Amino acid sequence: MSLQQLNAASADEFVALLDGTYEHSPWIAARAAAGRPFASLAQLKAALARVVRQASRDEQLGLIRAHPELAGKAMVSKRLTAESTHEQSKAGLTDCTPEEFARLQQLNADYNARFGWPFILAVRGPRGLGLTRREIIETFARRLGNHADFERAECLRNIHRIAEIRLNDKFGFTPALGQQVWDWAEGLAAHSDPGFREQGQLTVTYLTEAHQACAAQLRQWMLDAGFDEAQIDAVGNVVGVYRGTDAKARRLMTGSHYDTVRNGGKYDGRLGILVPMACVRALHAQGRRLPFDLEVVGFAEEEGQRYKATFLGSGALTGHFDPAWLAQRDADGITMLEAMKAAGHAATVPAIAQLKRDPARYRGFVEVHIEQGPVLDERDLPLGVVTSINGSVRYLGEITGQASHAGTTPMGSRRDAAAAVAELLLFVEQQASAMQDVVGTVGILNVPAGSINVIPGRCQFSLDLRATTDAARDALDHAVREALQAICQRRGLHHRLDQTLSAAAAPSDPGLQARWEAAVQALGLPVFHLPSGAGHDAMKLHEVMPQAMLFLRGGNAGISHNPLETITADDAQLCVEAFQHLLEHLQ
């Protein structure tokens, strides 16, 4: 099938051509037909998803209930549609052991009893190769605990993924660039620190053996992809350069980090290295050069897991490496200096200082990254343009009252420190909810030496306040500190508040942001703007040069810093194509 054929068809022919895309639900194609002509397959997919999103709740439930159970009665009696038969067979559900089949039948019964509709899962998976039966069963069991409204939305998202793969089959489309990115991410995830590797968990912290193996692997992949240079620098950054036709032209820098949090995901940071690598690989295969050099950096450290030196990799390039970091010790007492020497790095301040880039030689820094949140996933959007990386301020605090007997102290005579922190927590929630583009979190609550029958005399807490602009961050900060003062004064308590972090917001450069917007639009997708609530290497590069980011949708409701972190090869394909557009149109 071709888009030309689909655009030229009558309304009835359009529906017939898309038959089987959405299980027993021709009304979706019938409504989407009005959106023609479709300029890209991505635009068609988005239009179909939009129809479902705008449908009534009853229509959405009807669509879900049109799908068969996994390894259910319809499969056993061979009454599945051809599409469902192919999908369940590809996932091996036709070859279940008796134990697996019994487990799936019980899960089907439990799920239907809880939600009233069949469990929906895109069993061909994020790569299109098919999930294993173990993965299917584990996902089934995990999703049984979801809230009904969330689970209904998750079923619809999986239905869209099923439809996407079926459309790929109809159009004979293979997301080869996205599959390459996905395969690289899988390959890099083979390296993990001891203690985590044995449990099948991904953890790569600064300058461990796994970290060095990742660096060596990235360097080799860069050379294989056609980079002219690929080196590991004095702090462990992997730096690849694909030379342009004009050696005097200002370079474009891109990249992200390859270290991870403990028991993290495969795409946080790493996506931003692999996507531009795929672009270079395609350019090299075509024998083409850009007018300018493209510098791709796999930053050695961003997460601050082994040493408290966040943005160490990108900080070295901006000239903000703190020599005092070299004396920091990890949990085993190994200093950063010792770790650097063991990894074969010079480990001297002059060598690290030489890594500083001259901003005048660069036109800017761009970064692609998974969203690490649910916004794009909830809107069925594969890509989002970042407007700003949130500024943040963090505190550690303590409220002190009077510990006393829980049974003999009247309510009006209490000086309860924990109750005061609880009141502050609710204020943070309410105040942040009432302001635009700000978030506030109390992530730590601790009553030292607490007892079930003692009124808390001390309560320790944290504050994490973030906003898209410094002004909005400061307004929330001021309001929260005023509330803390008022709460303690009214309750007769004392408080201490120590600031541990203050980071400025990093608004996207308008020119580079416009390039991302044009790239998304060229794919036939709606341009959606959102801020980044998390910090990124782009935030550090922003201190010395223009920057702008593009977000890629994360699956499983956008969860990140978690083994459930996931993307699809199709979304990665769109991300690579957007990056290619930016490169082609950057003058």
Side-chain angles (χ1 to χ4, degrees):
M1 189 191 304
S2 68
L3 283 173
Q4 184 180 8
Q5 179 185 4
L6 201 63
N7 287 330
S10 69
D12 288 343
E13 290 170 341
F14 181 90
V15 173
L17 286 168
L18 294 180
D19 180 53
T21 303
Y22 284 89
E23 198 90 350
H24 302 299
S25 301
W27 58 271
I28 299 172
R31 294 182 194 177
R36 289 182 290 175
F38 297 113
S40 66
L41 182 56
Q43 188 178 28
L44 171 62
K45 293 173 181 177
L48 292 165
R50 185 165 56 249
V51 167
V52 175
R53 192 166 58 255
Q54 294 173 347
S56 69
R57 186 177 186 277
D58 286 343
E59 287 174 323
Q60 292 175 350
L61 287 174
L63 171 62
I64 294 172
R65 289 173 177 141
H67 285 72
E69 292 181 336
L70 295 182
K73 295 178 181 178
M75 187 194 79
V76 174
S77 60
K78 299 182 179 180
R79 289 185 289 106
L80 297 176
T81 62
E83 293 84 1
S84 288
T85 298
H86 174 63
E87 288 154 2
Q88 295 208 25
S89 175
K90 198 170 183 68
L93 291 175
T94 53
D95 299 312
C96 289
T97 66
E99 293 79 13
E100 290 170 335
F101 186 75
R103 176 66 169 145
L104 283 166
Q105 297 311 299
Q106 186 60 56
L107 287 168
N108 277 323
D110 293 345
Y111 189 93
N112 269 288
R114 176 167 167 73
F115 298 112
W117 59 74
F119 173 72
I120 311 295
L121 178 64
V123 294
R124 284 179 64 180
R127 176 66 160 77
L129 298 175
L131 299 173
T132 65
R133 293 193 294 275
R134 177 181 175 181
E135 289 172 326
I136 291 169
I137 290 171
E138 287 178 350
T139 304
F140 208 151
R142 172 174 56 82
R143 283 175 47 187
L144 261 172
N146 286 340
H147 185 278
D149 288 342
F150 177 88
E151 185 58 22
R152 176 169 58 89
E154 190 68 1
C155 283
L156 293 174
R157 286 189 283 266
N158 275 273
I159 286 172
H160 293 317
R161 176 59 181 157
I162 292 168
E164 176 167 65
I165 294 174
R166 292 178 179 181
L167 283 169
N168 288 350
D169 292 342
K170 285 179 180 288
F171 281 83
F173 171 71
T174 300
L177 294 169
Q179 289 176 346
Q180 178 64 74
V181 169
W182 198 90
D183 291 344
W184 273 334
E186 286 293 306
L188 209 58
H191 307 292
S192 188
D193 288 352
F196 297 91
R197 181 179 60 247
E198 294 80 0
Q199 301 179 60
Q201 298 175 354
L202 176 61
T203 299
V204 176
T205 56
Y206 186 53
L207 295 183
T208 59
E209 287 187 10
H211 186 272
Q212 295 175 63
C214 284
Q217 182 67 83
L218 285 170
R219 178 180 178 274
Q220 187 59 54
W221 282 341
M222 285 181 177
L223 294 172
D224 294 343
F227 281 78
D228 299 295
E229 304 170 20
Q231 298 180 356
I232 300 172
D233 71 16
V235 297
N237 295 326
V238 185
V239 184
V241 177
Y242 189 66
R243 296 196 196 97
T245 56
D246 184 357
K248 296 181 180 179
R250 290 181 300 152
R251 286 182 172 183
L252 178 69
M253 186 189 296
T254 186
S256 194
H257 62 97
Y258 63 91
D259 67 320
T260 76
V261 297
R262 293 179 174 86
N263 194 22
K266 301 173 183 177
Y267 309 99
D268 171 21
R270 297 173 173 203
L271 181 79
I273 309 167
L274 303 178
V275 165
M277 280 173 52
C279 292
V280 170
R281 187 172 183 267
L283 284 167
H284 179 69
Q286 298 163 11
R288 295 182 57 232
R289 295 281 175 174
L290 300 166
F292 50 85
D293 291 355
L294 178 64
E295 183 175 347
V296 181
V297 185
F299 293 111
E301 194 284 332
E302 189 254 22
E303 298 289 4
Q305 295 291 295
R306 184 177 182 185
Y307 300 101
K308 300 307 176 186
T310 310
F311 300 119
L312 180 157
S314 50
L317 270 57
T318 62
H320 295 112
F321 183 92
D322 184 352
W325 289 341
L326 295 171
Q328 286 190 12
R329 295 184 181 274
D330 67 7
D332 296 319
I334 300 171
T335 67
M336 185 185 294
L337 179 66
E338 292 167 342
M340 283 185 169
K341 287 183 176 179
H345 300 313
T348 65
V349 173
I352 295 171
Q354 289 179 6
L355 302 180
K356 182 181 178 181
R357 301 301 196 263
D358 178 4
R361 291 190 56 214
Y362 291 84
R363 58 186 62 211
F365 179 85
V366 293
E367 182 174 357
V368 297
H369 205 281
I370 57 167
E371 181 202 345
Q372 297 182 281
V375 176
L376 294 176
D377 201 39
E378 288 175 349
R379 289 164 173 77
D380 302 315
L381 295 173
L383 301 174
V385 177
V386 178
T387 55
S388 177
I389 305 173
N390 281 2
S392 62
V393 60
R394 294 179 185 172
Y395 296 97
L396 290 176
E398 182 176 81
I399 293 179
T400 306
Q402 179 64 57
S404 56
H405 197 292
T408 61
T409 308
M411 296 304 293
S413 302
R414 298 182 175 212
R415 297 172 59 201
D416 190 329
V421 175
E423 186 177 344
L424 180 68
L425 186 156
L426 291 175
F427 177 85
V428 170
E429 181 182 60
Q430 293 161 2
Q431 187 73 11
S433 298
M435 300 172 68
Q436 188 173 5
D437 292 333
V438 304
V439 292
T441 305
V442 177
I444 296 174
L445 285 167
N446 179 47
V447 176
S451 177
I452 195 169
N453 61 348
V454 177
I455 299 165
R458 295 168 59 205
C459 187
Q460 299 163 338
F461 64 96
S462 64
L463 287 170
D464 184 322
L465 311 175
R466 308 188 189 205
T468 55
T469 66
D470 292 342
R473 177 205 61 189
D474 293 344
L476 177 62
D477 181 21
H478 179 72
V480 170
R481 286 188 287 109
E482 275 199 337
L484 174 61
Q485 180 71 33
I487 290 168
C488 289
Q489 186 173 357
R490 173 165 38 83
R491 290 177 172 268
L493 306 170
H494 301 284
H495 73 273
R496 174 184 56 79
L497 197 62
D498 299 323
Q499 188 178 101
T500 60
L501 173 80
S502 180
S508 296
D509 173 74
L512 289 176
Q513 180 179 315
R515 300 291 185 184
W516 283 130
E517 292 165 351
V520 173
Q521 195 169 33
L523 294 172
L525 295 170
V527 176
F528 181 79
H529 298 97
L530 72 168
S532 172
H536 303 285
D537 290 297
M539 195 174 195
K540 196 66 183 174
L541 271 298
H542 174 81
E543 297 176 9
V544 298
M545 66 179 71
Q547 67 80 26
M549 294 187 68
L550 181 73
F551 272 169
L552 176 74
R553 163 176 56 188
N556 289 329
I559 195 168
S560 182
H561 284 187
N562 187 296
L564 294 176
E565 180 180 287
T566 187
I567 64 170
T568 67
D570 286 85
D571 283 0
Q573 174 81 23
L574 292 171
C575 194
V576 174
E577 291 178 3
F579 208 115
Q580 289 176 320
H581 185 279
L582 180 142
L583 293 175
E584 295 287 350
H585 292 82
L586 190 62
Q587 301 299 329

